[in-house]
Amino acid sequence: MTTDLNRREFVARAGTAAGLAILSSCDHVPPPPETEDPVTSPGTNLTWSKAPCRFCGVGCGVEVGVDAGRVVAVRGDEASPVNRGLLCAKGYHLPGILYGKDRLTEPLLRRPNGQGWEKISWDAALDLIASKYTEALAQHGPESVAMYGSGQWTVFDGYAALKWVKGGMRSNNLEANARLCMASAVMGYMTQFQSDEPMGCYDDLEAADDFVLWGNNMAEMHPVLFSRILEHQRRHPEVRIFDLATRWTQTSPYANAYIEFRPGTDLALANGLLHLLIERGQIDEAFIAENLVFKQGIEDLAQIGYGCTGEQAENYRFQDHARDSTLDEVRAFLKDYTPERVSQITGVAPHRIRQLADVYGDRQRKTLSLWCMGVNQHTRGTWMNNLITNLHLITGKICQPGNNPFSLTGQPSACGTVREVGTLCNRLPADMVVTNAEHRAKAEKIWSLPEGTISAKVGYHTVDMFRALQRGDVKVLWVQATNPWVSLPNLARFERQPNDGRFVIVSDIYPTPSTAAADLVLPSAAWVEREGVFGNTERRTQQWNQLVSPPGEAREDAWQIIEVARRMGYGHLFPWSDDNWHEPMYEEYRQFTLGVGKDVAAYAQLQVERGLRWPVVDGKETRYRYAAGHDPYVKKESGTHFYKAKAYGEKAAFWLRPYHPPAESPDETYPFWLSTGRVLEHWHTGSMTRRVQQLHQAVPEAYVEVSRGDALRLGLQQHEKVRVISRRGEVILPVLIEGRGRPPAGSVFIPFFDEARLVNLLTLDAMDNISFEPDYKKCAVRIEKIGARVS
């Protein structure tokens, strides 16, 4: 369907009507955890400054109003090309995340008996951390130490961690929570272009004719971007939106077609589209001949596994091996993915499959594919990223305004800090990896380190890192800006006992289940309480200045890391003065990016601009990578040049990827599919947004969405408390029937923002075989009425 809503009306409706729908379903609204009174009304003497939003990866620009050393107002930055003055419900409440009454303001050490906390000085805390890491390194080596960061880290935080862990301690046990959300997109781009991140940008939202949303509830997860699509459709009624999903969401009413598929069958659906494109001759053979190579990896399910059973349940280290393939082999590979067979697997009607193939095959219309967690949090997430991109490669619909595969991002600097800085166990900055000797040598040169300092051994990926902590192989772990004891899958596995022989540090701004699991808790500065740089989904690097002081003794995460590194004898890694280190640190990091097609803008330019999209060459940003006339690294007069893909002859790789079933499916004992995810009002695990009164009141607790038919069959009433049980755990939740989301019969949905109702006690720690990203979207559960137990 088309809509007459303009952008502002859509954002307003998304931020109020949806919340009211949940409010009306609540018998009572419990108070949020230690919520402060609403932020005072702004006066007339405000100082306004630019910053990016603290929440998702869209990277909206905000103007921050400060009065008497306190953030008292925000407004959408009309000068920002990202959001053009609009914000979502969370963005308009940014000041509230700073002022919860229970902000952490002092370092806290768990008492020796494991009961309670005592306040200690920063010097004592930093000395203790340094001694714990030094002891572990001396007794157990670099594999016994680890750090776990975040896509909410600034570039400074991530770069400090990278230098300390990989250049100082000579360990590659550095990970970030983006492993749980974006790693499959990383490996999708890397396996096909040998360079991470999209070739397109947000300008595509006004250039495309058809938008294909692969498991992507943009209306709630990326509402500002979705408002741009709706405005484009309002002005151009021929624009179409296709919502491919496993449950009806707030995005679905705005779609021209809602196409529901069975959980985990998107691989078959994408292969079915490729089958039809080739069968009908709707492929661009000239583009293929000039720009593509064909690759096929290991496909045997028994060999690959899912990373959660047998020996793989402790260490999952599957390595794919590619061989060359051909277009003729692709034809043979896809011949069985007929519309009829794909319909049997997916539940999508054959005529819908043919309609979708026509969308990609029509050369007169521009097609933008958009996806996020539904594709990435998948036991074959890298494969699914490959298949969506294949649809664009084989039709030549890529690297052009409105024609692109575009992975959206969940966190504000998952791109800028994790993916670009390289805060993962196998990476270094600017697409470099620790397994490549030339890459290690370049890092050692920039860091003035002796040859051989950086280890070539890949560290633990996130799930294996916490498995190693649970086993005792990791002795010391420092967690910053994330909440793993809420967000990890199969959560009960990682419960800690006092005095278990490991030492865990958590830096955060509020108490969480993760600080409760720690031995030492450090208070961190948040958002504009410190200087920072984020990088968003469209490759836009954005800078902001410190605008207010953090409360109490809270300090920024990068400072904490640097001080520990200095105490361990690694001060040479951070040679800058205490009062002027942000810009020189950034400019040192920038050296990695220059001349390789990843050039980030100079710090001085970022201080005055509303962000710039890399590669930035001669001060000019790039809208479209690999495209002649746009990308300064492309020297040809027209067309496309995938210059980063050196191992493929500077061509893109089309990967043959088969359909594999999910790791766990419903059966008689556990008859429901469970999917987890976010809601509009809350950010990730809710540690910030649940302290904002308005957001908390809109959605005060987690719930289990159930279809009306299943509710009738089970005798469930609206708001009734039920027990949801998987093979791993259980949680008690109120039932929500026909709320903002409507799962089909046999499926349920539970959001993960509520730390009092931990949905990840239910989830399965099955992983993607290439990215090692967990699958939060597919496991089997049953529902029991309270008091009725099944033996």
Side-chain angles (χ1 to χ4, degrees):
M1 61 175 286
T2 58
T3 177
D4 292 328
L5 287 179
N6 64 30
R7 291 184 66 223
R8 293 186 181 276
E9 290 169 338
F10 166 75
V11 171
R13 178 177 294 185
T16 55
L20 290 172
I22 298 296
L23 261 179
S24 66
S25 72
C26 297
D27 294 323
H28 113 168
V29 178
E34 295 296 322
T35 302
E36 181 149 288
D37 294 334
V39 175
T40 56
S41 298
T44 58
N45 298 317
L46 299 188
T47 300
W48 292 93
S49 303
K50 73 175 178 72
C53 179
R54 173 58 180 80
F55 292 118
C56 78
V58 170
C60 290
V62 301
E63 291 186 289
V64 183
V66 175
D67 185 18
R70 183 180 174 92
V71 176
V72 297
V74 295
R75 62 191 182 196
D77 187 352
E78 294 184 357
S80 169
V82 172
N83 54 310
R84 304 167 182 174
L86 285 185
L87 297 173
C88 75
K90 292 187 294 295
Y92 284 119
H93 291 94
L94 276 164
I97 70 173
L98 302 177
Y99 300 117
K101 290 182 179 179
D102 58 342
R103 271 294 296 268
L104 295 169
T105 59
E106 308 172 288
L108 300 172
L109 178 66
R110 187 179 296 279
R111 294 194 174 99
N113 63 5
Q115 303 300 312
W117 303 87
E118 59 186 47
K119 299 175 184 178
I120 63 172
S121 69
W122 266 110
D123 280 336
L126 297 168
D127 288 344
L128 179 59
I129 298 170
S131 69
K132 290 292 184 180
Y133 274 103
T134 299
E135 179 183 352
L137 286 168
Q139 295 182 7
H140 305 285
E143 292 186 32
S144 69
V145 297
M147 185 161 204
Y148 185 60
S150 172
Q152 299 160 64
W153 259 347
T154 68
V155 166
F156 303 117
D157 304 329
Y159 190 68
L162 185 80
K163 289 193 77 175
W164 173 53
V165 176
K166 301 194 177 190
M169 294 192 291
R170 304 189 180 198
S171 173
N172 286 319
N173 287 341
L174 174 64
E175 276 285 287
N177 65 359
R179 176 73 68 180
L180 308 182
C181 58
M182 295 310 303
S184 295
V186 173
M187 294 312 299
Y189 287 120
M190 291 298 294
T191 54
Q192 296 192 275
F193 307 102
Q194 297 197 306
S195 183
D196 185 23
E197 298 195 45
M199 56 288 301
C201 62
Y202 295 160
D203 297 10
D204 287 325
L205 302 175
E206 284 80 38
D209 300 304
D210 292 318
F211 296 86
V212 184
L213 279 52
W214 290 85
N216 188 14
N217 178 14
M218 286 188 72
E220 290 193 84
M221 303 306 105
H222 300 90
V224 170
L225 296 185
F226 195 57
S227 76
R228 288 178 58 169
I229 295 175
L230 294 184
E231 177 67 10
H232 178 49
Q233 187 183 59
R234 186 181 72 84
R235 295 182 178 187
H236 303 278
E238 70 278 8
V239 167
R240 300 179 298 182
I241 300 170
F242 296 87
D243 180 25
L244 282 58
T246 59
R247 101 187 212 275
W248 192 96
T249 69
Q250 290 296 295
T251 300
S252 307
Y254 298 100
N256 296 77
Y258 168 65
I259 301 173
E260 188 175 291
F261 59 91
R262 297 184 183 117
T265 64
D266 44 1
L267 291 155
L269 179 57
N271 276 324
L273 303 183
L274 290 166
H275 166 95
L276 286 171
L277 290 170
I278 291 175
E279 181 182 69
R280 296 169 169 181
Q282 292 178 304
I283 62 177
D284 190 333
E285 296 198 15
F287 181 89
I288 292 168
E290 182 179 356
N291 294 292
L292 300 192
V293 297
F294 295 91
K295 298 287 182 180
Q296 187 166 18
I298 297 172
E299 299 174 358
D300 178 55
L301 178 55
Q303 184 177 355
I304 296 171
Y306 294 108
C308 59
T309 58
E311 293 181 359
Q312 291 182 349
E314 292 297 334
N315 290 286
Y316 188 40
R317 294 285 179 173
F318 172 80
Q319 290 288 318
D320 199 14
H321 296 283
R323 71 168 183 84
D324 293 336
S325 186
T326 65
L327 182 56
D328 285 339
E329 287 188 343
V330 172
R331 289 190 176 96
F333 176 86
L334 294 170
K335 67 180 178 61
D336 291 333
Y337 287 94
T338 63
E340 290 70 28
R341 177 172 179 257
V342 170
S343 179
Q344 291 175 353
I345 296 170
T346 64
V348 178
H351 79 276
R352 284 296 194 194
I353 299 170
R354 294 186 176 94
Q355 179 189 28
L356 279 172
D358 283 336
V359 170
Y360 285 99
D362 188 344
R363 298 189 186 187
Q364 303 306 310
R365 295 178 65 86
K366 297 180 178 180
T367 306
L368 187 68
S369 297
L370 296 154
W371 69 94
C372 198
M373 301 310 152
V375 167
N376 294 335
Q377 292 176 337
H378 193 313
T379 52
R380 297 296 178 262
T382 301
W383 288 11
M384 195 57 216
N385 273 264
N386 291 158
L387 291 178
I388 295 173
T389 299
N390 284 351
L391 291 165
H392 289 266
L393 288 173
I394 205 165
T395 56
K397 287 188 168 186
I398 194 166
C399 304
Q400 304 163 9
N403 271 332
N404 279 302
F406 201 146
S407 165
L408 298 176
T409 313
Q411 296 186 87
S413 203
C415 289
T417 301
V418 181
R419 298 165 70 169
E420 293 163 25
V421 173
T423 57
L424 294 171
C425 64
N426 65 322
R427 287 175 72 85
L428 292 165
D431 290 334
M432 299 197 305
V433 292
V434 299
T435 52
N436 185 303
E438 292 182 1
H439 295 175
R440 296 195 304 273
K442 180 175 180 177
E444 288 162 353
K445 181 178 179 181
I446 291 174
W447 292 344
S448 300
L449 296 174
E451 182 180 351
T453 297
I454 298 172
S455 173
K457 184 176 182 179
V458 174
Y460 291 118
H461 59 76
T462 292
V463 175
D464 275 2
M465 178 181 287
F466 282 87
R467 290 170 173 176
L469 178 72
Q470 187 260 346
R471 289 193 307 269
D473 293 341
V474 167
K475 305 296 183 183
V476 186
L477 172 68
W478 191 351
V479 176
Q480 287 190 335
T482 188
N483 194 5
W485 273 274
V486 174
S487 61
L488 287 169
N490 193 6
L491 190 58
R493 176 172 183 173
F494 305 111
E495 290 180 2
R496 291 197 69 209
Q497 299 298 323
N499 302 314
D500 61 4
R502 277 79 84 189
F503 193 78
V504 174
I505 310 106
V506 174
S507 300
D508 212 326
I509 65 174
Y510 289 112
T512 68
S514 297
T515 62
D519 300 289
L520 177 64
V521 176
L522 302 180
S524 292
W527 192 38
V528 295
E529 296 169 350
R530 42 84 54 89
E531 190 170 342
V533 171
F534 282 161
N536 81 344
T537 299
E538 65 164 349
R539 298 172 280 109
R540 183 180 298 276
T541 311
Q542 303 187 79
Q543 184 272 350
W544 73 93
N545 295 325
Q546 180 180 353
L547 304 180
V548 296
S549 297
E553 299 176 28
R555 299 299 296 264
E556 69 177 287
D557 292 334
W559 177 89
Q560 299 173 27
I561 295 167
I562 292 169
E563 287 301 310
V564 169
R566 287 172 172 167
R567 283 164 167 78
M568 294 178 67
Y570 306 134
H572 58 283
L573 294 173
F574 305 99
W576 311 292
S577 64
D578 291 343
D579 59 354
N580 181 31
W581 56 270
H582 290 91
E583 183 170 358
M585 176 188 279
Y586 175 88
E587 290 298 335
E588 179 187 276
Y589 156 63
R590 183 169 172 253
Q591 292 180 47
F592 285 94
T593 72
L594 298 179
V596 296
K598 305 282 287 192
D599 318 50
V600 295
Y603 201 73
Q605 189 175 9
L606 291 177
Q607 289 177 309
V608 297
E609 299 278 1
R610 261 54 174 187
L612 291 166
R613 293 169 288 197
W614 58 259
V616 179
V617 178
D618 297 329
K620 298 179 181 179
E621 67 176 357
T622 298
R623 294 169 64 215
Y624 294 96
R625 297 177 76 193
Y626 313 127
H630 291 280
D631 188 334
Y633 284 88
V634 176
K635 304 306 180 186
K636 61 198 301 186
E637 292 185 2
S638 63
T640 305
H641 180 199
F642 297 108
Y643 55 87
K644 293 288 288 182
K646 305 297 184 185
Y648 302 153
E650 301 190 358
K651 296 183 177 184
F654 179 111
W655 284 87
L656 288 70
R657 301 298 197 189
Y659 164 68
H660 278 182
E664 183 177 88
S665 297
D667 57 21
E668 291 185 2
T669 306
Y670 300 94
F672 288 93
W673 288 106
L674 167 66
S675 179
T676 70
R678 283 171 40 202
V679 296
L680 170 69
E681 294 80 1
H682 286 295
W683 169 247
H684 278 203
T685 62
S687 59
M688 292 185 291
T689 50
R690 291 181 70 240
R691 287 170 171 84
V692 177
Q693 184 177 26
Q694 296 88 342
L695 299 177
H696 173 79
Q697 288 178 333
V699 187
E701 62 182 349
Y703 48 85
V704 54
E705 283 182 357
V706 181
S707 74
R708 181 167 295 279
D710 285 330
L712 289 170
R713 181 174 56 83
L714 296 174
L716 303 179
Q717 301 297 315
Q718 187 80 295
H719 319 145
E720 176 184 356
K721 296 291 180 67
V722 296
R723 187 176 284 108
V724 184
I725 305 168
S726 76
R727 290 177 174 86
R728 291 153 294 281
E730 63 180 67
V731 61
I732 294 175
L733 294 159
V735 170
L736 188 62
I737 304 167
E738 291 192 358
R740 65 176 67 176
R742 299 176 190 174
S747 290
V748 299
F749 171 84
I750 303 173
F752 71 92
F753 69 86
D754 189 346
E755 66 186 32
R757 298 161 184 85
L758 296 171
V759 66
N760 283 317
L761 293 172
L762 307 177
T763 52
L764 178 67
D765 52 346
M767 285 173 271
D768 177 72
N769 57 312
I770 296 173
S771 70
F772 307 115
E773 179 171 341
D775 188 334
Y776 291 92
K777 304 300 184 184
K778 297 176 287 297
C779 73
V781 298
R782 69 172 181 263
I783 297 174
E784 292 182 359
K785 294 172 73 71
I786 299 298
R789 299 296 308 212
V790 175
S791 59

